[in-house]
Amino acid sequence: MSTQYYRPAGSGARGIFDLEITPESAGWGYASLRILTLTPGDGVEFATGAEEMIVLPLRGAVTVTVAGEQLDLDGRPSPFESATDFAYLPIRSQAGLFSADGGTFALPGAVAAKALPFRYGPAGGVPVELRGAGPCSRQVNNFATPGAFETVTLIACEVLTPAANWSSYPPHKHDETSDSESALEEIYYYSFRSRAPSSIAAIASGKGAGYQRVYGTAERPMDVLKEVADGDTILIPHGWHGPSIASPSHDMYYLNVMAGPEPTRAWKIRDDPEHGWVRGTWAAEALDARLPFYSSPEA
């Protein structure tokens, strides 16, 4: 069953995109993700269709145009070095992306019922949150979570986890509508940074860099335990997910994309009761001293 939800790097390429996960290809109703690499001086155009999207630079700067309006995104060298500015793309729009120096850009998206304006999200406005404690410490960049940036349906954030830590923990789920949960599909897209000293020629593949666990309920079974590396993707239609484990050799980054049928945009989760009690121990533990990787730049 795990291969149905695991998309190794390179397996999801389509057209102009290095990775294209649509609601149709995922087998669900809302969440999407595309990854685009532009060579220096390269540009592309595409239609958003029924999806709202965000242009999120992973590496490099880009100019984004919609209906004659232009936004210049400064971007960043990598997700491990800074937060980034971004651009919101409305549904039913024709978007153009141009990068003078080249780069890689994520397009998290979601099916939406109305169009919001094309607009800019400054890097300085991204709330950088530190969660957990001890070996469960991680950093969350809440660039498009409720309360941080307005969208119709889309919820997205970036999570950075120091080497050897457990992230997305305790295991939790959000696959039904209740007082404690929102029904949200979720995509995890991974990248890693080797901790090897410069004197060592580190293996570039990132093999063994991290692991992801997803498991279901008796009513809705799910069983995923995968080694993940640069450019790999995990789809989570339902079930408990976590931990996301960073190997001692690599820092881990993942982009979370969420969307679902809820009438009100909200991110409510329920912990697996077998493990949720661990949150109560964090008050007595210190945050990992390697965090934050960085803070939000000045707005």
Side-chain angles (χ1 to χ4, degrees):
M1 182 181 292
S2 64
T3 55
Q4 179 181 354
Y5 305 111
Y6 168 62
R7 308 290 171 89
S11 65
R14 182 180 176 188
I16 63 173
F17 299 111
D18 304 333
L19 170 70
E20 184 177 43
I21 295 173
T22 66
E24 293 76 19
S25 68
W28 56 35
Y30 294 89
S32 69
L33 176 63
R34 294 163 177 85
I35 303 294
L36 173 69
T37 297
L38 297 176
T39 57
D42 194 12
V44 298
E45 290 189 356
F46 58 91
T48 60
E51 299 173 37
E52 59 180 352
M53 300 179 188
I54 284 176
V55 180
L56 182 78
L58 299 177
R59 174 186 60 84
V62 66
T63 295
V64 184
T65 57
V66 170
E69 294 185 63
Q70 176 177 310
L71 295 175
D72 296 316
L73 305 184
D74 294 332
R76 55 187 167 181
S78 88
F80 294 99
E81 296 182 51
S82 74
T84 184
D85 52 357
F86 57 92
Y88 176 86
L89 306 180
I91 64 170
R92 310 296 178 195
S93 59
Q94 188 75 19
L97 272 65
F98 172 81
S99 181
D101 298 320
T104 300
F105 309 96
L107 295 160
V111 171
K114 65 178 182 179
L116 296 177
F118 174 52
R119 63 197 193 280
Y120 179 73
V126 175
V128 174
E129 175 188 3
L130 302 182
R131 292 185 188 168
C136 295
S137 302
R138 63 272 200 185
Q139 174 176 327
V140 183
N141 298 344
N142 291 297
F143 69 93
T145 55
F149 187 82
E150 183 187 8
T151 68
V152 181
T153 309
L154 175 64
I155 298 173
C157 66
E158 302 179 298
V159 181
L160 297 106
T161 306
N165 281 9
W166 282 35
S167 191
S168 196
Y169 196 79
H172 57 280
K173 73 182 186 78
H174 41 69
D175 58 14
E176 55 186 300
T177 300
S178 70
D179 291 340
S180 59
E181 290 185 55
S182 304
L184 296 168
E185 308 151 351
E186 186 162 14
I187 301 169
Y188 277 57
Y189 173 81
Y190 304 87
S191 182
F192 293 87
R193 179 176 68 176
S194 174
R195 301 291 295 182
S198 57
S199 58
I200 296 175
I203 297 174
S205 69
K207 181 176 173 58
Y211 287 84
Q212 178 67 51
R213 178 72 170 125
V214 187
Y215 56 99
T217 62
E219 297 76 20
R220 304 175 75 187
M222 163 82 77
D223 187 10
V224 175
L225 177 58
K226 295 300 296 186
E227 179 182 291
V228 288
D230 280 338
D232 288 354
T233 307
I234 297 284
L235 308 181
I236 305 174
H238 58 85
W240 309 101
H241 42 288
S244 305
I245 306 171
S247 71
S249 59
H250 288 75
D251 295 324
M252 175 171 62
Y253 164 91
Y254 52 87
L255 171 61
N256 281 151
V257 184
M258 292 168 278
E262 299 288 349
T264 301
R265 180 172 170 252
W267 184 13
K268 297 185 292 183
I269 67 170
R270 180 159 62 96
D271 290 338
D272 182 340
E274 289 284 339
H275 304 278
W277 59 267
V278 75
R279 291 186 189 272
T281 69
W282 292 344
E285 292 189 74
L287 187 74
D288 191 309
R290 295 172 289 178
L291 292 175
F293 282 86
Y294 48 79
S295 301
S296 288
E298 293 296 327

